[in-house]
Amino acid sequence: MSEWGRDLGFATTILRRRPFHLLLQVTNRCNMKCDFCDFWPNGVAPREELSLDDFRRLEEELAAMGRFLISVEGGEPFVRPDLLEIVRILSVRHVTALYTNGWYVDEEKAQRLFGAGLANVGVSIDYPDAARHDRRRVLPGATARAWRAVDLFREAAPHGGKQVHVMTVLMEDNWREFEALLRQSEGRGVGHCITLLSTKGFRRAPGASMPSGELSAHLLDLWERYPHFRVFRDYLEPMDRFLGGGELPTCRAGMQSFNIDHVGNVAPCIEKIDRPLGNIRNEPLAEIKKRMARLEEVKRCQDCWTLCRGWNQVMGAGGRASGWKDLLTRMRSH
């Protein structure tokens, strides 16, 4: 299927108010030891992770529901030697986005991933200076490898920097310097995304704290001045409300989005992976999905304002006009 065909199918799925977003951890294993993440100490042996046959069956079950944006995540996805085939399987009918720390990327891998149908890729960089990013990742050289990966992906992507972005987790010790990072990604000719730190979800380690201060106004100003800042404007506006303990709109996790972990457990979102409602190895995804949609505790949840929740708030229930505008212009990958 062509990229235009996948995009049209994805847009039609949103308009029909069907499930459209899957967060997929293909592994918990990682070569880094970030102190705000508890995934890397909780990996399993490769033989216990989802197999290529599991991914083929999953792709078919997802296609029966609609066309999905699939965020391929970890851990670090590149620790799986079959990552290329995973992306190839999922990209047949769905829009795949890969998230990586960049350590294992080389020219051949970048080219082959886009050749397999990868739609876009995000490389994690949280600080404008190497010392702090390397320290947070507990791996010297992490920053240099990450920026090298950004360059390699940009050169390999059919549409260049439109398909590549830096992904930054906003925390108390980096949000005031986010503009410096934006200037760096701008100079590299790629996009930039953010997600707000999560501290209440499962597998979130206490190594970082939430931002304080007037975050929304700061980010909205940057959004206006940096066109490569590729997030929904409507995602930025409620940040101060969330950080101040104000009430957010009803969460749509479990209704139009869900999470599948490295061993096949299905949960409404990545924050609640300790409470799965089933496993794709044991029963049809559609049956598990029915149970998720009925979860009242998810609808009342106020625990996070991560980017995946922002996606679902802005594009859920058919999508807001402002969200469609951002998706078709600022966030367009080709």
Side-chain angles (χ1 to χ4, degrees):
M1 181 179 290
S2 70
E3 59 186 356
W4 287 105
R6 288 194 299 268
D7 287 352
L8 179 59
F10 177 58
T12 301
T13 297
I14 293 176
L15 289 169
R16 291 179 175 175
R17 305 191 176 197
R18 299 169 75 174
F20 68 86
H21 191 194
L22 168 64
L23 276 72
L24 177 64
Q25 292 87 55
V26 297
T27 184
N28 271 10
R29 294 176 289 133
C30 188
N31 62 312
M32 297 187 182
K33 299 179 180 179
C34 305
D35 59 4
F36 56 86
C37 173
D38 195 40
F39 281 75
W40 56 268
N42 291 282
V44 298
R47 65 180 179 277
E48 297 178 49
E49 296 172 339
L50 292 175
S51 67
L52 292 181
D53 283 341
D54 291 326
F55 289 117
R56 291 186 185 97
R57 187 169 58 255
L58 172 62
E59 193 279 332
E60 291 177 356
E61 292 189 90
L62 291 171
M65 296 181 184
R67 299 294 181 266
F68 279 75
L69 169 62
I70 303 178
S71 296
V72 179
E73 308 174 349
E76 170 49 49
F78 274 95
V79 303
R80 289 197 58 147
D82 57 355
L83 176 62
L84 178 68
E85 290 308 311
I86 293 172
V87 169
R88 192 187 310 280
I89 290 166
L90 298 175
S91 300
V92 172
R93 287 174 285 193
H94 306 286
V95 180
T96 50
L98 175 66
Y99 289 92
T100 174
N101 61 40
W103 186 268
Y104 296 108
V105 179
D106 60 29
E107 183 177 358
E108 181 182 4
K109 289 175 182 176
Q111 291 175 345
R112 294 181 71 187
L113 279 164
F114 282 111
L118 183 67
N120 58 75
V121 61
V123 180
S124 297
I125 304 176
D126 294 324
Y127 299 90
D129 59 288
R132 283 188 298 163
H133 184 79
D134 288 7
R135 185 166 58 247
R136 178 72 77 181
R137 303 286 166 168
V138 197
L139 186 60
T143 307
R145 291 280 191 108
W147 282 115
R148 179 174 181 269
V150 168
D151 293 338
L152 290 171
F153 279 128
R154 185 195 64 238
E155 293 305 311
H159 304 289
K162 289 184 177 181
Q163 291 177 273
V164 184
H165 61 267
V166 173
M167 171 57 79
T168 297
V169 179
L170 288 187
M171 302 168 277
E172 172 60 18
D173 70 346
N174 72 349
W175 74 267
R176 293 174 181 84
E177 298 165 280
F178 177 55
E179 185 173 7
L181 258 177
L182 273 175
R183 289 196 295 266
Q184 290 176 356
S185 57
E186 180 183 46
R188 239 57 184 229
V190 299
H192 211 123
C193 290
I194 61 166
T195 186
L196 192 63
L197 176 72
S198 175
T199 59
K200 295 182 179 180
F202 192 64
R203 297 273 181 252
R204 304 300 188 184
S209 56
M210 301 293 282
S212 61
E214 296 183 357
L215 185 61
S216 294
H218 177 66
L219 293 176
L220 288 168
D221 173 64
L222 295 176
W223 192 90
E224 294 290 345
R225 292 192 288 116
Y226 291 91
H228 75 296
F229 187 6
R230 296 178 192 156
V231 294
F232 296 109
R233 191 182 194 281
D234 289 354
Y235 172 60
L236 305 176
E237 290 179 341
M239 282 195 176
D240 286 354
R241 191 191 328 159
F242 169 73
L243 293 170
E247 187 171 352
L248 297 171
T250 299
C251 184
R252 303 191 65 81
M255 291 182 282
Q256 293 193 265
S257 70
F258 50 94
N259 189 91
I260 299 178
D261 73 8
H262 58 305
V263 295
N265 289 324
V266 185
C269 71
I270 195 171
E271 310 301 323
K272 301 183 186 302
I273 56 176
D274 57 324
R275 287 170 277 173
L277 292 166
N279 189 291
I280 61 171
R281 286 168 163 166
N282 301 328
E283 62 180 314
L285 178 59
E287 294 302 313
I288 303 172
K289 180 69 181 61
K290 290 177 184 177
R291 296 197 291 273
M292 283 193 295
R294 295 194 293 265
L295 283 178
E296 291 299 321
E297 67 167 300
V298 175
K299 298 175 185 178
R300 297 192 301 268
C301 184
Q302 301 285 307
D303 285 350
C304 81
W305 188 247
T306 55
L307 182 59
C308 52
R309 180 164 184 170
W311 255 94
N312 297 326
Q313 300 288 176
V314 176
M315 299 308 297
R320 302 176 188 172
S322 57
W324 278 110
K325 179 182 178 181
D326 290 345
L327 189 62
L328 295 172
T329 54
R330 178 179 291 249
M331 298 167 68
R332 184 174 171 178
S333 61
H334 58 87

